[in-house]
Every structure is written in structure tokens, then in C-alpha cells.
Amino acid sequence: MKPEHLSEGVYAAPGILYGIGVGPGAPDLISLRAVAALRDVQVILAAASTQKEHSLALSIALPHLPPEMEILRLDFPMIRDKDKLEQAWARNARKTAEVLRSGRNAAFLTLGDPLIYSTFGYLMETLRKSEPDLRLCIVPGITSYQEAAARTGTVLCQGDENLLLIPGIKDEESLARDLALADSAVILKAYRNREAICRALEASGRGKDVRFASRLGLEGERTARGLENVPEKPHYLSLLLSPPPNDRRHAQGETMPEQPNINFNPDFAKGGGLLPAVAQDASTGEVLMLAYMNEESFQKTLESGEAHYWSRSRQSLWHKGDSSGHVQKVVALRLDCDSDAIVLLIEQVGGAACHEGYRSCFSREWREGRVSQCCPRLFDPKEVYK
């Protein structure tokens, strides 16, 4: 196949195939190397299930692509029939080779990292067998479990601990056997086998410390702690983090120093019964909202582990997320030196703290004389507050 821009009798060397990990969901988690590679290609190879009309990896990369970029869709069936799968890989390898033989560079986009449970791995192996002279360049990507650990403030492994990646499609016995070998575990593909996964985690004593994450960086993002908060029907883009139980880590680590007797009693009298309470993301420190607490809401927060405030407009106790489901899981509370201001370090379920759907209530920013929207809108309030 001869590209149009070459004169008669002149043929281009084959192009390069880039396998690019676009990260777990947010366009700003694509690496600088990946963005540079995208500028060097003429064709985007977008893998998608034959049952779906779009490629999520493509939608994540779109902000970094010029409007004239050629998009070639590669259909990969979501089946287990080995013969049909091999036929699909061979068919897509031929399509890819045709593009590269024309002298054009192409990028195969994949969620997370190209070499971790990715369709790209099958395509790469097939091309190496059928077209061994073609050049490949792999650009690593941030994985969903790295983003989940960052969002939930979870230390996956430290010291001499191991970390095991487990596909959630395994049967319960296999899951339990793998968990027994792991200090920390990441269970990917956790959308289809919920009951077996939960039973295996519970039997291994990990249920209380499990972190659930779904659709990170996308609309409908959700994080939660504890097996009881894992939804009945997890989304396809869901995973579980299972760090070593805290008692095991403390037993292996140094003895914790004895803490002095510290006063942790907010002085509600200073504010006429109400004190400002700032909610911050526990893992990033991002300020998400400002509300107010009275003594009742403060005690309710301590008892429940979820943020409760006092609504000045309704003059009533307010359980954040009670109607939307976007509750705030409290990781820690902090009290200032004057005992008249409170900080909540939280895990924001659903990703958005603002009732208007934004990640943060502080979504408008003045900088260098210009005002702009500085954080994404993650949901439509009309759909959530029906």
C-alpha cells in the first residue's frame, strides 16, 4: 500500500506502532511522553468491545488530539472462545500492519498501562509472530489501582511487603488461595464476581480494610471503605484494594510512642454554637467544601465515621450525601490551636463534594486578573437530585 504523498516508485519505511496507556480516566493523568507520542502519529487505533459504540480510552485522549486525526476502530469481542478471540486478534493485527506498511505511525490506546491486563498485549504478541519487522514503542500509563491508592490515601506496600495483582474473575477458592499469599492485594475486574470476592476477602480477615473504587476521574466516580459499602452491582471499571490489616502492620513495625493527654474538644461557645468545618481530600489535601458544625453534628460525625454538619439555611442536622449518596467518609479530624475551627480529612464518595456537581465547592478561581472554572463537573444535579 503506497501513501498518497509519495511519488511513483518511492516507498516509505514502515511506521511505528505506539502502545499508549492513557491512565484510568482523567485526561490530565496522561504522561508527557504519551502526549508527545500522540503528536507523532497519523492514525489512532481505538479498541472497543463489539457490543459498544465508543472507545473509552479514545474519549480520554481526545483533548490531546488534533481534530483532523484519523481514527480506526478495532473491534475486540468480549468472549472466552479462544478460536474466535485469535481470529479477532489476527484480523486487527492485519489492519494495524496495513496502516504501518503505508509509512504512517499509529497509536493503540489502552486504559491504564499497555502491558497490564490490556488488549494491547494480545495485539503485540500477534504482530510479533506475523509481522516481526514492524517497530513497536510502548509508553507506560498510570494504572487504576495507583489512582485508587492515591484517592483513598492507601499505602499499598512498604518494607518487605509484597503486592499481588489478582483478576476478580477467578473462583472463590482460587481467590482465597491468592489472598493467603499476599501482604497487599489489588483485585481488578471486580465487577462480575462480587459475592465470591467478598466471601474470600471476609474469610481472610480483610473485609474491614478493603477500599473500593469505581470510574475514577469519570462521571459517577465512587470510592468506599469496607465490604459493606461495596455496591451490589459494581460498574465494569471497578477494583478493590486490600492492604495488610492495620493490626498486622503495627505488629511488624516499630512500637508506637505513647501519646500525651491531648484536649480534642472544640469550643463551640466561641462561635455561638457553630464552628467552621473545612472538608479536605484525605489523600491530596484539596479543599472540597466549607460548612458548619455544632456539638451535635460533631459527635454524630465521630460516632458514624461520616461527615455531619449543621445546615444554617434549614436549621437542622445535615448528613452530607444523605439524599445523593455522595457521603463523606471521615479518615481524620483536626482541631486548630484555638479550638474554634475544624478540618475533616475525608474520602468523597461519588467524587464530587459540591451540590452543583463540581469536584469542589471552590470551583471558581481568580488568577492573574482572569476568572475561570478550575475543577470539573462530575454530575448533573438535575439527574442526582430528582
Side-chain angles (χ1 to χ4, degrees), residues 77-234:
M78 301 290 285
I79 57 176
R80 294 193 179 186
D81 187 310
K82 186 175 180 180
D83 290 336
K84 291 183 178 179
L85 283 173
E86 288 182 350
Q87 292 172 14
W89 299 333
R91 181 171 61 252
N92 288 320
R94 287 194 297 271
K95 290 182 180 180
T96 300
E98 287 177 5
V99 172
L100 300 179
R101 296 289 182 199
S102 72
R104 293 174 293 171
N105 296 333
F108 185 99
L109 304 180
T110 178
L111 293 174
D113 185 90
L115 300 181
I116 299 177
Y117 293 120
S118 168
T119 307
F120 177 76
Y122 299 114
L123 179 65
M124 180 179 72
E125 291 176 345
T126 304
L127 279 172
R128 281 177 170 171
K129 292 177 182 178
S130 61
E131 310 281 346
D133 62 309
L134 293 178
R135 293 175 295 167
L136 285 79
C137 178
I138 298 166
V139 180
I142 295 174
T143 63
S144 57
Y145 58 88
Q146 288 173 300
E147 169 72 338
R151 284 296 185 92
T152 60
T154 303
V155 177
L156 287 178
C157 48
Q158 57 189 19
D160 61 354
E161 295 172 348
N162 63 33
L163 173 63
L164 182 63
L165 300 185
I166 304 174
I169 57 176
K170 287 189 170 186
D171 60 64
E172 185 176 343
E173 183 179 347
S174 298
L175 289 167
R177 186 168 57 247
D178 287 345
L179 288 170
L181 298 173
D183 293 317
S184 278
V186 173
I187 301 180
L188 301 168
K189 306 179 183 180
Y191 63 97
R192 193 166 48 184
N193 200 20
R194 179 191 182 280
E195 296 306 316
I197 293 171
C198 288
R199 285 194 298 267
L201 285 166
E202 196 68 61
S204 65
R206 295 170 175 266
K208 182 175 65 175
D209 295 307
V210 161
R211 277 76 157 176
F212 170 81
S214 179
R215 292 186 61 80
L216 294 174
L218 304 168
E219 184 175 350
E221 174 185 306
R222 181 174 180 180
T223 59
R225 183 168 181 165
L227 283 180
E228 69 276 11
N229 294 311
V230 176
E232 291 294 326
K233 294 183 178 180

Side-chain angles (χ1 to χ4, degrees), residues 269-292:
K270 282 188 176 181
L274 293 179
L275 295 180
V278 176
Q280 287 185 273
D281 186 290
S283 60
T284 66
E286 179 184 10
V287 175
L288 299 178
M289 61 177 281
L290 167 68
Y292 289 84

Side-chain angles (χ1 to χ4, degrees), residues 226-287:
L227 283 180
E228 69 276 11
N229 294 311
V230 176
E232 291 294 326
K233 294 183 178 180
H235 186 272
Y236 173 74
L237 298 175
S238 296
L239 62 90
L240 291 163
L241 306 179
S242 177
N246 284 329
D247 54 355
R248 187 195 305 177
R249 262 197 181 145
H250 290 161
Q252 294 174 344
E254 297 180 359
T255 302
M256 298 292 288
E258 185 176 345
Q259 295 294 316
N261 186 21
I262 299 174
N263 175 31
F264 199 77
N265 297 309
D267 190 350
F268 290 102
K270 282 188 176 181
L274 293 179
L275 295 180
V278 176
Q280 287 185 273
D281 186 290
S283 60
T284 66
E286 179 184 10
V287 175

Side-chain angles (χ1 to χ4, degrees), residues 16 18 20 30-44 61-70 104-109 139:
I16 300 172
Y18 291 89
I20 298 179
I30 298 179
S31 70
L32 293 176
R33 184 184 296 181
V35 173
L38 290 172
R39 289 197 293 263
D40 193 40
V41 304
Q42 293 76 50
V43 182
I44 295 294
L62 276 178
H64 305 286
L65 301 177
E68 68 275 10
M69 178 68 73
E70 180 181 345
R104 293 174 293 171
N105 296 333
F108 185 99
L109 304 180
V139 180

Side-chain angles (χ1 to χ4, degrees), residues 321-333:
D322 191 39
S323 59
S324 65
H326 298 167
V327 298
Q328 294 177 342
K329 302 285 186 180
V330 177
V331 175
L333 290 171

